Amino acid sequence: MRKIALAAASLAIAGAGAAFAPSANAATTDASATMGTTASCPSGAVCIQELNGTIYSKNIFYSYGAHNLSNVIGDKIVINNQTGGAGYKLCSKYGGSGTCTTVVRWTGPSKPYNMTWVNSVVLVK
């Protein structure tokens, strides 16, 4: 539970924290059963993984900048497998605009997040 709370705190931002916090399901789900692995996300990429482990090719991002999302809703796992300390942030509008999370620089999978209000992912150096 503490890890989920810490993950929620790291993604919560003023005025939109609820939009990026893990869902209620995440709190009751065994994280080891649903967490992605960096092995399933190519080196140098940020991937959005389904809870069943599937990563669709449209949800693998290599280049820095904003990437608009289409039909990415519900609980998903974001995997940062970039190198050199690169990070990502999630934003509520297309083009990396609107309300965004703080930049996540640690590598590996996140806890499941409700991506319903996320419309773009931005890769940053």
Side-chain angles (χ1 to χ4, degrees), residues 6-87:
L6 288 174
S10 70
L11 285 179
I13 51 180
F20 297 111
S23 68
N25 274 350
T28 59
T29 303
D30 177 13
S32 64
T34 59
M35 293 216 9
T37 61
T38 54
S40 61
C41 181
S43 179
V46 169
C47 303
I48 299 175
Q49 180 180 10
E50 303 294 317
L51 294 183
N52 68 7
T54 302
I55 299 176
Y56 297 109
S57 60
K58 70 175 188 166
N59 292 332
I60 300 173
F61 310 101
Y62 288 99
S63 60
Y64 295 121
H67 300 274
N68 295 333
L69 303 177
S70 177
N71 295 319
V72 179
I73 57 173
D75 291 342
K76 309 288 183 220
I77 296 165
V78 181
I79 302 171
N80 185 12
N81 205 17
Q82 297 181 94
T83 59

